[in-house]
Amino acid sequence: MEQYSAAEKIYELFSEKALALGIPEPVLVIAAYAIPCLVVINLIQGAAGMLTYAERKISADIQNRIGANRVGPFGLIQFLADGVKLFLKEDIIPDAADRKLFKLAPYIVLSSTVLAAIVVPFGGSFIVADLNIGLIFIIVVSSLLVVGFLMSGWASNNKWALLGGIRSAAQIISYEIPTALSLLCIVLITGTFSLQETVMSQGLWPWQWFIFHNPFSFVAFFIFFVSALAEMNRTPFDFPEAESELVSGYNVEYSGMRFSIFFIAEYGSIFIISGLAAAVFLGGGNIGLDPYESPLHMQLLMVGVFFAKTVPLCLVIIWVRWSMPRLRIDQMLTMCWKYFIPIAFACLVATAIWLLVFNGNGIFWRMPAP
Amino acid sequence: MGKIEEYTVKRDADRTDLKLNMGPQHPATHGVLRLELDLDGEIIRKCTPHIGYLHRGTEKLGEDRTYISALPLTDRLDYIASMNNNIGYCVAVEKLFGIEAPERAKYIRTMCAELGRISSHLLWLATHALDIGAMTVFLYAFRERAMIMEMFEKLTGARLTVSYPRIGGVRNDVTQEFIDRAHAFADEFPTHMEEYETLIDQNRIWLKRTKGIGIITADEAINWGLSGPMIRGSGIAYDIRKHEPYDAYKDVEFEVPIGTEGDVYDRYRVRMIELRQSALIIKQCVEKLPRGAILDPNAPKFTLPPKERVMTDMESLIHQFVLITKGPMTAQEGEVYVATELPKGEFGYYFVSDGSGKPYRMRLRAPSFVHASVLPLMCEGGLIADVIANIGTLDIVLGECDR
């Protein structure tokens, strides 16, 4: 089966006309790749904006408040007002800060989120690039976060920020391991790192999803979800910013647009991680049809299915934040090294044995005929 | 190449990598407490509290004011529980002057003191949970605190700095509406308590963050002079309301909860049970509230006559003039120390009187001041996150600590 990325499809659609108009091919190729990239960047920002709104509203509901209701209907475009406000704020760089690193850090954090979005299959053929190392790619780029956090912590020349940066390094690097191990359980089943193929080998119904493939993948899903919470610094693992301990942690010296970039990255990564969990464990946008051959309306339905699985996961992440206290850094690292990594390893080995014993089949899921 | 050893970092107990200044501007230091932390990584090697950022010289100011006009100063000490400060002050001055408030006033005071205690403990619960990261408890606790604030507003005209009790009684009689509201509040309060406890009481993360943290043994608690929930959390049932009852506390029944381990969780439990007990006391006060005067017959010596009588009556005019300029002149020479049980602990008023209308010396024994000194004991060897939990469990108010 031939697979395309969105860029290739765009290229195919327009190449004849464009070449006839005399546009040189390299320009066309770059344009074909730039369009989906821009779409994804905007998608991340839009998702981040809507998630901040959701966070306001959900936290308000949980805490017996009303929440944002002034800007737009039901306060829906509050996030735009926030964005404008942050954009107009004075951009302060502390005198003693390392200016270059200070300016660079937010973009590294953001780029990690946006890069991860490249390989997330949004349903149908809507994927920027279906890399055959998709899962590895996503794990690698999400480690970039550490660089950004450490950089911002160091460059701020503030002790709180430094502590936040160092905490994030300890935390994100530790939790990378269970995250990757739990994803590997699924890689064992599918035999591919490509996310689109992972989605396509699942089905419409819950028993065709990999979360219910075998008991160990079920455990792996929860390990993945909790580790991912830790990896993106959400409560109960929000140590790098822990506002009651480290004031605001790594971003304490940031203001205005740079500050908001950190936040776009944070909320963007909530969306990405939820999307990844939905794609790998919950069948993504699969409705039992071939994503490339189906007509457009079915493809849009797939996108709808993908979002129907992603959004509840995002909401769970927000829900957890407003109902849980914060762990302590050593307790969290203990949890990772003593429990999560051994359990994730056990799941990996057990999945391998399961596949060996049952000839690659799950409880309900059947190995497709070669 | 022989220099490698020079660069090898020796890890010993005294090693500190980082000196961190926590406060006075820090979201979790409850005002303007400043802690100087010597850190090894995130481990606290040395913790030095610095206080005094909110010093307003209340003790000295008290010497310059008559016994009557010093009352509003006490509002600003523990501003979370100003009602309890006022009551403590009045009880102390009453003892100095040898007068006693009538029964009805005592019951009203007890009721208000317990409302103040609930209000203070709710603020403690809200901020303590917020510091540990449970943000939702904050707003739930403040919902009930607002009810108390509204009740105080109805009764006294002020929400925070009430200045309601008077020497020898209270300012206004309670209305039927206030009594009804207080009773209804005390009735429904335990259900609200269950809401808070659902959120944190058995939460695994909450238990991990509070159990075994900031342990103070019973001996240490006595040696450091702790009081209130701090000493009760360590297993010593010391409550001034029981041991030296003032106001109506001898007539109401309540339990004094104690902890076993002396850690943050025990003190949390102690305060939670105290909240329930306070609600019970309010109920009893409402039910037993006697009829009668709200001011001692001698109290006119301490209260200004009505304005219209000042304008028409010579006696009243002289009376007002003397009270304003010289204060109540009937104090015995000598000294008096009266401690009352504030939400934070034992708050003592010590007066030295020279027979004039102003105290010769006014000394305040502030529980927050004593409790702040125990911070190094609790924090050293712990992590930064534990410092936050420990400050929360102390329940200090810097207005009272710095005076």
Side-chain angles (χ1 to χ4, degrees), chain A residues 25-102:
Chain A
E25 193 169 351
V27 175
L28 191 61
V29 170
I30 291 170
Y33 274 96
I35 290 167
C37 288
L38 284 175
V39 168
V40 161
I41 288 175
N42 283 309
L43 178 76
I44 293 293
Q45 293 193 354
M50 288 318 291
L51 278 173
T52 56
Y53 172 75
E55 177 125 77
R56 280 157 178 271
K57 274 299 193 191
I58 291 173
S59 70
D61 280 352
I62 290 176
Q63 299 184 334
N64 229 339
R65 297 183 283 115
I66 295 167
N69 67 348
R70 284 283 169 261
V71 191
F74 308 107
L76 264 169
I77 52 172
Q78 177 70 42
F79 70 92
L80 288 182
D82 288 347
V84 169
K85 186 200 83 170
L86 284 166
F87 196 71
L88 295 176
K89 285 241 168 189
E90 186 188 356
D91 178 31
I92 301 165
I93 301 177
D95 270 350
D98 187 328
R99 293 181 71 89
K100 277 181 195 156
L101 291 185
F102 189 84

Side-chain angles (χ1 to χ4, degrees), chain B residues 39-239:
Chain B
L39 296 176
D40 173 11
E42 278 213 25
I43 299 165
I44 316 286
R45 291 292 176 214
K46 193 159 173 285
C47 165
T48 321
H50 293 271
I51 57 165
Y53 290 89
L54 206 55
H55 178 64
R56 293 149 302 176
T58 309
E59 291 179 357
K60 196 70 189 166
L61 283 171
E63 290 168 22
D64 200 38
R65 278 162 174 69
T66 63
Y67 288 104
I68 301 166
S69 57
L71 178 73
L73 291 178
T74 61
D75 279 329
R76 277 85 185 163
L77 291 167
D78 177 0
Y79 41 79
I80 310 300
S82 55
M83 186 67 90
N84 304 53
N85 288 313
N86 294 156
I87 290 169
Y89 178 82
C90 290
V91 171
V93 175
E94 279 162 16
K95 190 172 181 190
L96 181 69
F97 283 90
I99 60 172
E100 204 170 337
E103 281 297 300
R104 185 175 174 85
K106 282 186 173 178
Y107 273 84
I108 294 173
R109 277 187 191 178
T110 308
M111 190 159 60
C112 289
E114 293 309 310
L115 280 173
R117 191 180 314 279
I118 292 180
S119 155
S120 168
H121 276 6
L122 282 179
L123 189 119
W124 157 80
L125 175 69
T127 51
H128 188 39
L130 184 69
D131 289 348
I132 295 188
M135 282 174 267
T136 298
V137 183
F138 185 83
L139 280 125
Y140 279 77
F142 264 57
R143 183 185 58 190
E144 271 73 66
R145 191 165 175 269
M147 288 185 197
I148 296 175
M149 293 277 137
E150 276 164 25
M151 274 190 254
F152 278 174
E153 195 180 3
K154 281 265 182 220
L155 181 65
T156 71
R159 290 164 68 88
L160 197 66
T161 50
V162 288
S163 285
Y164 172 63
R166 289 290 179 274
I167 298 160
V170 290
R171 173 72 178 80
N172 306 324
D173 203 349
V174 287
T175 58
Q176 189 59 42
E177 192 203 346
F178 177 83
I179 294 174
D180 291 344
R181 281 177 80 165
H183 195 266
F185 177 81
D187 254 347
E188 68 180 32
F189 188 63
T191 57
H192 295 310
M193 293 285 301
E194 277 162 23
E195 286 176 11
Y196 319 141
E197 288 180 344
T198 322
L199 277 167
I200 49 177
D201 205 49
Q202 296 300 322
N203 187 310
R204 287 284 293 276
I205 301 176
W206 179 264
L207 295 181
K208 274 201 155 190
R209 284 298 304 278
T210 53
K211 281 211 161 168
I213 308 295
I215 293 176
I216 301 176
T217 62
D219 283 344
E220 281 168 342
I222 294 170
N223 289 343
W224 283 90
L226 304 184
S227 53
M230 288 295 289
I231 199 167
R232 292 196 283 274
S234 299
I236 295 165
Y238 173 64
D239 191 327

Side-chain angles (χ1 to χ4, degrees), chain B residues 18 87 207 237 240 248 252 258 277 320 332 364:
Chain B
L18 190 64
I87 290 169
L207 295 181
I240 298 167
V252 291
I258 55 168
Q277 294 297 323
Q320 194 207 28
Q332 301 288 313
L364 311 172

Side-chain angles (χ1 to χ4, degrees), chain B residues 222-342:
Chain B
I222 294 170
N223 289 343
W224 283 90
L226 304 184
S227 53
M230 288 295 289
I231 199 167
R232 292 196 283 274
S234 299
I236 295 165
Y238 173 64
D239 191 327
I240 298 167
R241 293 176 295 173
K242 277 276 189 219
H243 286 83
E244 290 172 46
Y246 53 96
D247 285 348
Y249 283 111
K250 59 183 179 303
D251 302 327
V252 291
E253 283 172 16
F254 62 99
E255 283 169 27
V256 178
I258 55 168
T260 48
E261 309 290 326
D263 56 7
V264 174
Y265 184 75
D266 273 8
R267 289 186 281 273
Y268 155 77
R269 280 312 305 165
V270 163
R271 287 193 176 101
M272 292 306 259
I273 298 169
E274 275 185 31
L275 278 167
R276 287 201 163 89
Q277 294 297 323
S278 291
L280 280 182
I281 296 175
I282 292 170
K283 239 174 164 173
Q284 292 176 45
C285 284
V286 170
E287 279 154 13
K288 292 181 181 172
L289 186 67
R291 296 183 180 281
I294 54 162
L295 268 179
D296 184 68
N298 287 321
K301 288 176 192 160
F302 307 97
T303 44
L304 298 180
K307 196 71 182 172
E308 59 269 25
R309 289 194 56 197
V310 175
M311 294 302 191
T312 53
D313 182 19
M314 175 61 81
E315 285 290 318
S316 300
L317 181 65
I318 295 169
H319 180 57
Q320 194 207 28
F321 181 76
V322 171
L323 266 185
I324 294 286
T325 52
K326 292 185 170 168
M329 306 284 283
T330 54
Q332 301 288 313
E333 273 187 44
E335 54 186 29
V336 63
Y337 174 81
V338 173
T340 48
E341 182 76 19
L342 251 69

Side-chain angles (χ1 to χ4, degrees), chain A residues 137-292:
Chain A
F137 180 79
I138 218 164
I139 290 165
V140 168
V141 293
S142 64
S143 319
L144 261 183
L145 271 180
V146 186
V147 180
F149 286 159
L150 258 181
M151 200 182 264
S152 62
W154 178 259
S156 301
N157 199 7
N158 178 313
K159 287 171 184 172
W160 301 110
L162 180 64
L163 279 171
I166 290 169
R167 275 183 176 192
S168 78
Q171 174 181 341
I172 296 175
I173 290 172
S174 306
Y175 272 89
E176 209 113 89
I177 303 166
T179 316
L181 285 174
S182 48
L183 287 176
L184 274 181
C185 293
I186 305 305
V187 172
L188 279 185
I189 300 170
T190 56
T192 173
F193 282 108
S194 155
L195 272 158
Q196 187 71 296
E197 275 177 42
T198 309
V199 170
M200 279 156 66
S201 48
Q202 301 175 66
L204 168 66
W205 304 107
W207 58 84
Q208 295 167 318
W209 299 349
F210 283 143
I211 181 175
F212 300 120
H213 180 275
N214 62 51
F216 311 108
S217 64
F218 187 73
V219 177
F221 170 73
F222 289 99
I223 289 187
F224 171 76
F225 198 69
V226 177
S227 317
L229 272 183
E231 238 194 291
M232 60 192 166
N233 306 319
R234 289 288 294 186
T235 319
F237 310 109
D238 60 340
F239 305 101
E241 49 178 299
E243 72 281 345
S244 61
E245 292 158 27
L246 300 187
V247 192
S248 189
Y250 63 90
N251 60 24
V252 67
E253 295 286 3
Y254 284 84
S255 57
M257 207 53 209
R258 284 181 223 289
F259 176 78
S260 68
I261 286 173
F262 275 121
F263 268 75
I264 292 171
E266 185 188 326
Y267 285 95
S269 63
I270 292 176
F271 178 72
I272 295 298
I273 292 288
S274 305
L276 186 64
V280 174
F281 290 95
L282 304 178
N286 195 329
I287 56 169
L289 297 173
D290 185 86
Y292 293 108

